Amino acid sequence: MWLYKFYFTTHVKMNISYNWLKQYINHNLAPSDLANVLTDLGLEVEAMESVGNFAHLGGLVIGEIKTCEKHPGSDKLFVTTVDIGQEKLLNIVCGAPNVAAGQHVVVAPSGTTLYKGEESFQIKKVKIRGTVSEGMICAEDEIGLGDSHEGILELSGDAPVGASAESYFNPEPDKMFTIGLTPNRIDSACHFGVARDLAAYLRNENNVRLSKPDISSFREGDGTYHINVTIQNDQACRRYAGICVTGIRIGPSPPWLQNRLKSIGLNPINNVVDITNFVLYELGQPLHAFDADTLKGRKIVVKNFPTGTRFITLDGIERILSEQDLMICDAEEPVAIAGVFGGLHSGITKATTNVFLESAYFDPISVRRTSKLHGINTDASFRFERGVDPDMTLYALKRCALLIEEIAGGRIASEIVDEYPNPVHPREVLFNYDNVHRLIGERIEPETVKSILTALEFRITKANEKGLSLVVPPYRVDVEREADVVEEILRIYGYNKIILPETFNASLSYTKKPDQETLVDILSNYLSSNGFYEIMCNSLTKSAYYDHLDTFRSEHLARLINPLSNDLNVLRQTLIFGGLETIVYNTNRQRPDLKLFEFGKCYRLKEQDQNKDPLVKYHEEFCFSLFLTGRVSASGWFSKESTVNFFLLKAYIENMLVLLGIDPENTVVVKIQDKKDLYEQGIRYRFCNMDIAELALINSEILKSFELRNEVCYAELFWSNVLEINKSHRVTHKELPRYPEVRRDLSLLLDRTVTFAQIRELAFKTESRLLRRIQLFDVYEGEKIEKDKKSYAVTFILQDSEKTLTDEKIDRVMNRLMEAYVNTLGAVIR
């Protein structure tokens, strides 16, 4: 049965190229050794595979298409003449939709052998629809350079005609590491970030140094093409920088750039887009390139738009914006969703000649909210959600602009626009050497500590014999306190260098009674033996459940600062909604008959002391709940179908109370008068002036909101009160009685206002020594008795622990009971 709702948080897969990494650190580690080092640094290498251009390129040459005309005998074929550096042009028939005159392409002349996996075939001179074809213009999948077969592989315009494909592509063997990146290590979601960690680890090795990409040749433009930038929401956009590059030519990227992207599993698109992706995976800073000529008014405005605004993203899908979505706009309309996705009409196309490059720092909460709302997950949103380095904004922008100048033939035409109205200030941490020993268990020399922290770009502002005053580098968004700094030191120092002590010290601990875990196991075993399934729901839930409740008010919710989504933005105040979600999940999969229970914690804001330390203003409570819905048993040839009901759940609860050392006969049962927003009706058990349990039918309006048709019976134990009572009321054992029980029945005609609880209470008050139990086995209201009357059929169980009861003794007891009912409750004995 589908009875469990699990929410998993997994590591994000990040691909790192061995050759690419060596551009920033000149290490001599073999790939296998590097994988071990990265794992020791906390960047767990989950896989390592060979990549690179291992294609069989022999016989392939670079050619230029001179002419391209429609095939006279086919609507889908083209007849081309191709120059491959020989005296005679080759006639080649091609069916690719993107073939055009002027393109530089890879050509397989007749006689060339192509390989695809273990298969091979030779290109021959043939006639196609009556036209001679002397070779083939190749797609990337046909020569092992990729997986795409959408059209022929188009090369950059400077590809030398007649050169061998092998010399042009210059294939190099490479290794790709797949790293399981933990959510806090967004700084290592790029090659330079990994190289920085590696350089810190190898800091004592000779000639090992970290090299940052060179941007010393960057010069700002003369302002002939300029885009003005205005930030209207400086909380969601802390920094926005941009620059214009004009006179570019959109085309394929050079082989080295394509190889870099392919080495980590990315497909090249065009030179400008490839450059922004390259810088992203190089430095970790997301960039976006706009077609500058599409920006109306030559203006960028960063602001929010009203809810309901329509916007078409690059994938052609129309999105309905929320007022919380931060948008990049021109003078008239939105052009991109900030930090998430670009717009359809401002993206780079083959006709683009002028670009505006964006490099920004967007608030992680804002980006995550928008990303989850629209269900868009991009490389940019992944990084912005976790926090990028605000100091990398300008560096990455300059790096990208220089590459576009070099590869796309552009010219930097403007000064850098850098709007930074709300600066991100680096954190300061006080660090004590003694705490390293206390947390790690081993003393590390102060000079080693300083060396590690300096290599990780921590700035030491003050040092003495006790410790350091540190400024945390902005790229480490997760380092907030001293313990985080100690973790960084240990990570670089090496977990494997910590020597395990020869002795092991332990202390005997005394478990408080009652032991909560033991009680939980007792109840779990009882319920699972009776056909219940345990569920474990997420403590995170949606705030919308509490919007109209008085029992659990929305202002008492513990809200997440950086929620995963609007469906997981608060901590639960009750187990009810998680259980109902599980019932819906199973009902929709044709499993409507359910008996469920859950142990879990609930959280709420304390009503008092709300202005005190936020760490203590939330109340955490352990809770226990049961759910019954659907049928108890299906109909068969020997039995009728029966459905769950309130009294079945009542029986389970009373049995559980017995297991906890509480006799249900000694409890006070009252009707639930409050919680009308949760329950249709219900009862509450009280013992020793404390609420210990409540049973109810879930409110029909709530069931309707979950689209549930069947009734849901719900019960909850007030666990803290149960534990308190269990301290003095534990389960005790005694010898089985030697003498038999005696059963006597009475039929009582009473006023309709008299309850069974009154009958029971009066019975034990009248005869407390011999009366053991009292049970109700029939209730009648109808035509045969008066309208304001009700008939109860009650069983009395009598027993003497010292001797066998005689008929005379039994009759005296029953007479006293009947007399009490007649005199006190006005009963008529029938």
Side-chain angles (χ1 to χ4, degrees), residues 762 813-825 829:
L762 182 58
V813 170
M814 294 305 298
N815 287 333
R816 285 202 307 273
L817 288 172
M818 288 186 286
E819 183 179 353
Y821 287 136
V822 171
N823 295 334
T824 305
L825 300 179
I829 309 300

Side-chain angles (χ1 to χ4, degrees), residues 564-575:
L564 294 170
S565 70
N566 288 336
D567 289 340
L568 299 171
N569 59 353
V570 296
L571 290 168
R572 62 189 177 188
Q573 292 192 68
T574 174
L575 302 180

Side-chain angles (χ1 to χ4, degrees), residues 531-638:
F532 281 79
Y533 289 88
E534 183 175 5
I535 60 174
M536 292 175 284
C537 300
N538 198 341
S539 296
L540 298 176
T541 185
K542 62 171 69 175
S543 59
Y545 288 147
Y546 302 89
D547 285 346
H548 304 293
L549 293 184
D550 293 325
T551 303
F552 300 106
R553 296 163 60 186
S554 60
E555 54 264 34
H556 293 164
L557 288 168
R559 298 182 181 274
L560 273 65
I561 296 175
N562 189 11
L564 294 170
S565 70
N566 288 336
D567 289 340
L568 299 171
N569 59 353
V570 296
L571 290 168
R572 62 189 177 188
Q573 292 192 68
T574 174
L575 302 180
I576 290 177
F577 298 115
L580 292 178
E581 287 177 350
T582 306
I583 292 173
V584 170
Y585 183 87
N586 287 274
T587 300
N588 291 341
R589 288 156 180 79
Q590 301 182 7
R591 296 292 186 272
D593 307 325
L594 300 169
K595 298 163 72 174
L596 311 173
F597 72 96
E598 179 178 13
F599 292 94
K601 290 184 178 180
C602 295
Y603 312 83
R604 62 182 63 92
L605 183 68
K606 292 183 178 179
E607 294 190 29
Q608 68 278 3
D609 300 329
Q610 293 190 17
N611 296 322
K612 288 189 175 182
D613 186 346
L615 294 178
V616 297
K617 73 179 183 180
Y618 291 101
H619 176 67
E620 179 179 293
E621 182 180 6
F622 190 81
C623 299
F624 169 74
S625 63
L626 281 79
F627 299 86
L628 286 180
T629 186
R631 300 173 299 178
V632 178
S633 60
S635 60
W637 65 271
F638 59 90

Side-chain angles (χ1 to χ4, degrees), residues 333-344:
E333 59 187 1
V335 293
I337 303 177
V340 180
F341 212 10
L344 179 64

Side-chain angles (χ1 to χ4, degrees), residues 31 130 150 297:
E150 295 180 357

Side-chain angles (χ1 to χ4, degrees), residues 797-809:
I797 308 297
L798 304 175
Q799 187 181 46
D800 192 329
S801 59
E802 298 177 355
K803 58 186 176 181
T804 301
L805 290 173
T806 64
D807 289 340
E808 182 181 356
K809 182 67 173 176

